[in-house]
Amino acid sequence: MTYQGIEKGSDGNSVTIPNPSDSGSGEALAAPFPEPTPISTNPSRNAGVRLGDRLFGGAATGSGVLVIAIIAAIAIFLMWRAVPALRRNEENFFLYGGNWITTDTSAMHFGILDLLQVTVFVSVFALILAMPVALGIAIYLTNYAHKRVKGPLAYMVDLLAAVPSIIYGVWGLYILAPAIKPVAVWLNENLSWLFLFSTGNASVAGGGTIFTAGIVLAVMILPIITAVTREVFVQTPRGQIEAALALGATRWEVVRTTVLPFGMSGYISGAMLGLGRALGETIALLIILRGTQSAFGWSLFDGGFTFASKIASAASEFNDQYKAGAYIAAGLVLFILTFVVNSLARAAVSGKDRSAS
């Protein structure tokens, strides 16, 4: 920019007069505004982490690490105690299903084939019985029950989890078994062509069979599945339910189109928790199931031992490290089996959540 000249004002001071030809089109010239400094949305960058947050974060992290350390310690202990007995075992530990002979610790005979089959069979049978009932109870409590009925009924179902295992065992053997004897006999006589109802290695009339034990076990795991499923169904978005009702859907259609799809992952998770509970049940099955000398035949009227009941029945032999090691080896397999079931349940629930999103 050029200046036309310098003149003196009325006060005697010099005033610089700009050249009019430099004004151009009359556009004002202004310096650009500086860019504002971005404000961080991360609180940790604007202020230091509080002591309480640090303590809570450390406690949470420590709790997670502690759980992992405990699980690893249990696995290491089981392996450490099982290996000496496995070295003295004369049979294939995974394929031998005969009687356990541990009196001669220099040449022992034991295996888990029958234990694994009985454990899985009775647990799956109980799960098949409990899952539909638990689903029906959860749907009724969350969508059909009156408020005056919902609370007491949910409390009664949850109260089943507080009954001791030994009570379930005595009830199953002396009350339930005689009551379902006609049903068991009819199934054995009329459907014996099917392997599930064929004559097994235990007395059908006596009641000490997988048929009786599975029903008792189903009652025991029912509260777990029901509670988890009910809590997930309650979280169904109210907007989805009201939208379905506004479109003219019936109560059952609302359950089928909104509640069940939303809560299916929780239902599966509850079922797997119940299965894990069934795999480790001890006292009730020890009381009900009759030990036999015959091999397991995949019949509901077979007897036998599960992992847990076999270990509990041989507690008197734990005074010897090798005899105890044989049963600890079975416990190690049960530990791995339960861990695998829970991992598969976690993977199934995670896959369901990803597909839904």
Side-chain angles (χ1 to χ4, degrees):
M1 176 178 292
T2 60
Y3 299 92
Q4 185 178 7
I6 300 176
E7 297 181 355
K8 291 186 177 181
S10 59
D11 55 355
N13 296 327
S14 299
V15 177
T16 303
I17 301 175
N19 191 351
S21 62
D22 293 338
S23 59
S25 61
E27 295 180 354
L29 299 176
F33 289 100
E35 292 293 333
T37 303
I39 300 176
S40 175
T41 57
N42 186 2
S44 62
R45 295 184 60 183
N46 299 329
V49 180
R50 296 181 179 179
L51 178 61
D53 294 337
R54 293 179 180 177
L55 294 177
F56 180 79
T61 303
S63 299
V65 173
L66 179 62
V67 171
I68 297 175
I70 291 175
I71 294 176
I74 293 174
I76 294 172
F77 168 78
L78 293 175
M79 294 180 62
W80 172 55
R81 296 298 302 271
V83 168
L86 291 173
R87 289 177 176 175
R88 300 191 177 202
N89 187 18
E90 299 292 330
E91 307 291 344
N92 189 310
F93 178 66
F94 295 100
L95 300 179
Y96 179 72
N99 298 325
W100 284 38
I101 302 175
T102 58
T103 52
D104 185 5
T105 56
S106 61
M108 306 171 72
H109 302 266
F110 60 92
I112 62 164
L113 181 61
D114 275 7
L115 300 180
L116 178 62
Q117 292 175 345
V118 174
T119 301
V120 173
F121 190 49
V122 69
S123 300
V124 172
F125 177 58
L127 192 65
I128 292 174
L129 296 178
M131 285 184 67
V133 179
L135 180 62
I137 295 174
I139 292 175
Y140 174 74
L141 290 176
T142 55
N143 294 274
Y144 290 92
H146 192 271
K147 292 182 178 180
R148 295 181 179 179
V149 180
K150 184 184 302 184
L153 183 57
Y155 175 75
M156 291 178 63
V157 174
D158 294 340
L159 194 60
L160 292 174
V163 179
S165 298
I166 191 171
I167 302 300
Y168 276 116
V170 174
W171 169 76
L173 185 61
Y174 294 104
I175 304 298
L176 180 64
I180 64 175
K181 175 182 175 181
V183 178
V185 172
W186 185 89
L187 291 173
N188 181 242
E189 292 178 352
N190 294 275
L191 299 178
S192 59
W193 51 270
L194 184 62
F195 73 95
L196 290 175
F197 305 107
S198 61
T199 302
N201 54 25
S203 173
V204 178
T209 62
I210 292 177
F211 184 71
T212 304
I215 296 176
V216 173
L217 200 55
V219 177
M220 297 179 69
I221 66 176
L222 183 64
I224 300 175
I225 306 176
T226 304
V228 175
T229 306
R230 185 179 73 242
E231 292 301 323
V232 175
F233 283 178
V234 169
Q235 303 301 322
T236 304
R238 190 64 191 175
Q240 296 182 11
I241 298 176
E242 293 177 352
L245 291 173
L247 292 174
T250 63
R251 186 72 63 85
W252 166 242
E253 289 174 339
V254 171
V255 171
R256 182 170 55 86
T257 58
T258 61
V259 177
L260 288 180
F262 178 82
M264 188 55 62
S265 61
Y267 177 53
I268 296 174
S269 178
M272 293 300 100
L273 287 176
L275 179 60
R277 169 74 171 83
L279 291 172
E281 176 51 38
T282 306
I283 301 300
L285 299 185
L286 179 62
I287 294 174
I288 296 173
L289 286 177
R290 291 288 180 261
T292 62
Q293 302 295 327
S294 303
F296 178 68
W298 294 99
S299 171
L300 289 173
F301 304 117
D302 277 330
F305 289 99
T306 63
F307 282 110
S309 63
K310 182 69 173 179
I311 295 171
S313 66
S316 60
E317 300 186 24
F318 291 172
N319 55 352
D320 184 88
Q321 63 171 339
Y322 297 108
K323 293 180 181 180
Y327 295 95
I328 290 176
L332 176 61
V333 176
L334 177 60
F335 177 82
I336 297 174
L337 178 63
T338 306
F339 186 81
V340 170
V341 169
N342 292 333
S343 300
L344 293 176
R346 186 74 175 179
V349 172
S350 300
K352 183 71 177 180
D353 293 340
R354 285 194 299 267
S355 61
S357 59

